[in-house]
Amino acid sequence: MSRPVIGITTSIENSKGRNARQAVGCAYVSAVERAGGCPVILPMVERREVLAPVLDLIDGLIITGGPGVTDRLIGVLPDDLPPVDPIRARTDSWIYHDARKRNLPMLGICYGMQFINARFDGAIYADIQVQLRKGPHSPKRSERLPVRHRVRTLPDTWLARLTGRSYEFLEVNSSHIQAIEGPGSGLRVNAVSDDGVIEGIETEDGRIIGLQFHPEALPGTVWDRVFEHLVSTSRTGGNRVAVDRD
C-alpha cells in the first residue's frame, strides 16, 4: 500500500541575517513515518508560486509548533515569547489556504493549533499565566524544567474515539505560553487540561485536529493514533487535483 505524502511546515531559527535556518524537529518526521506516511518538509519561501509543485504532491498537512501567534490576539505577547517571523506567517497562510481548498486532512500542534483556530476566527490569549492566572505551561516559566500535566478528552469527539479514553485524564507534555480563548466557528473542543485550559480542537468530520501539547514527543503512547488518523484519512481523502491558488 502506498504511503500518503504528509507535508510538515518548518520554523525559522536565528532569524536575523545570513545565519537564519529553516528547521523542523525530527520527532515530527519520525511520527509520520511510524504512522505509515511519507513525510515531506515544506520550505518557507518568498514567492507563493514556488510552493505549487510540492503542494501538488501532499495528501495531508502538519502545522508544527513555533513562536507567538499574532492573529486574533487578546493582549500583548510577553517578552519571553517572540512573535512569529513574517516569512513563516506568510508561508503558513499560503500552505494552509491551499490545503483547505483541497480539503486535505490537517493536524495543528501547539502554534499550529492556535494558527488554525485563528483561521476559523477564534481568539488567542497572549499569556495564559498572566491573563487566566494559570500555573506555568511552558519550561520557560519553570526554570527550564519539563512541564507535564493531565488532559481529558471530551466525549463524542474524534480525539476521544482515537484514544479510547473519554473523560479519563492522561498525562502530556506542555510547552506553551499562549492558548486559545475558545474554538473558532466550525470547530469544537476535544480536550481540556486539569486546570481548565483548552488543549485540543477539531472539526466535526475529524479532518482537522489541533492539539496544544506535542504528541510527536510522546512516541509509543495513545497519541501515536493522532498521526495514524492523519495518515489514514490522507490515504482515503487526499486530493492531488490542481487548484486555483489565487
Side-chain angles (χ1 to χ4, degrees):
M1 185 179 297
S2 63
R3 287 178 173 258
V5 179
I6 307 298
I8 305 174
T9 66
T10 52
S11 193
I12 290 182
E13 297 180 354
N14 301 326
S15 60
K16 301 296 182 182
R18 296 182 179 180
N19 292 325
R21 298 185 302 170
Q22 297 191 24
V24 65
C26 294
Y28 293 105
V29 174
S30 297
V32 170
E33 184 178 2
R34 287 196 311 272
C38 172
V40 169
I41 297 172
L42 302 176
M44 285 170 281
V45 296
E46 296 286 349
R47 293 181 297 167
R48 186 174 187 174
E49 62 269 21
V50 175
L51 285 169
V54 69
L55 295 183
D56 284 341
L57 299 175
I58 68 172
D59 301 302
L61 174 65
I62 296 176
I63 303 176
T64 61
V69 173
T70 55
D71 292 338
R72 304 280 301 172
L73 192 64
I74 301 172
V76 178
L77 291 179
D79 292 340
D80 56 351
L81 182 61
V84 61
D85 191 284
I87 191 172
R88 174 168 186 183
R90 184 171 64 245
T91 304
D92 283 350
S93 292
W94 290 338
I95 293 170
Y96 171 85
H97 182 71
D98 189 273
R100 286 288 284 163
K101 276 195 170 183
R102 297 166 180 269
N103 192 32
L104 296 186
M106 195 178 308
L107 173 62
I109 296 174
C110 202
Y111 160 97
M113 168 178 153
Q114 297 163 9
F115 174 90
I116 289 171
N117 196 60
R119 304 282 82 72
F120 280 80
D121 294 327
I124 316 293
Y125 287 119
D127 186 337
I128 57 168
Q129 194 170 346
V130 172
Q131 293 170 287
L132 300 183
R133 300 184 183 277
K134 303 297 184 182
H137 275 244
S138 169
K140 288 184 176 182
R141 303 286 180 83
S142 65
E143 299 180 347
R144 297 291 174 179
L145 296 174
V147 177
R148 299 181 74 85
H149 62 73
R150 300 186 305 163
V151 302
R152 65 178 178 90
T153 57
L154 302 187
D156 300 319
T157 63
W158 282 92
L159 191 63
R161 288 192 286 272
L162 290 173
T163 63
R165 305 290 181 88
S166 179
Y167 280 122
E168 184 178 346
F169 278 100
L170 299 169
E171 188 177 73
V172 297
N173 52 36
S174 187
S175 185
H176 64 99
I177 292 172
Q178 294 179 280
I180 71 168
E181 181 269 339
S185 178
L187 298 173
R188 63 185 180 185
V189 176
N190 59 22
V192 295
S193 66
D194 50 9
D195 63 354
V197 175
I198 296 173
E199 291 281 335
I201 53 175
E202 64 185 28
T203 52
E204 187 173 354
D205 62 5
R207 293 182 68 81
I208 298 177
I209 291 177
L211 296 176
Q212 188 60 73
F213 54 94
H214 285 265
E216 80 283 0
L218 298 167
T221 70
V222 295
W223 304 114
D224 281 341
R225 298 174 191 172
V226 175
F227 296 96
E228 294 166 3
H229 172 73
L230 175 67
V231 169
S232 175
T233 308
S234 298
R235 179 176 286 120
T236 59
N239 177 9
R240 297 187 183 182
V241 177
V243 298
D244 179 2
R245 293 186 172 87
D246 292 340

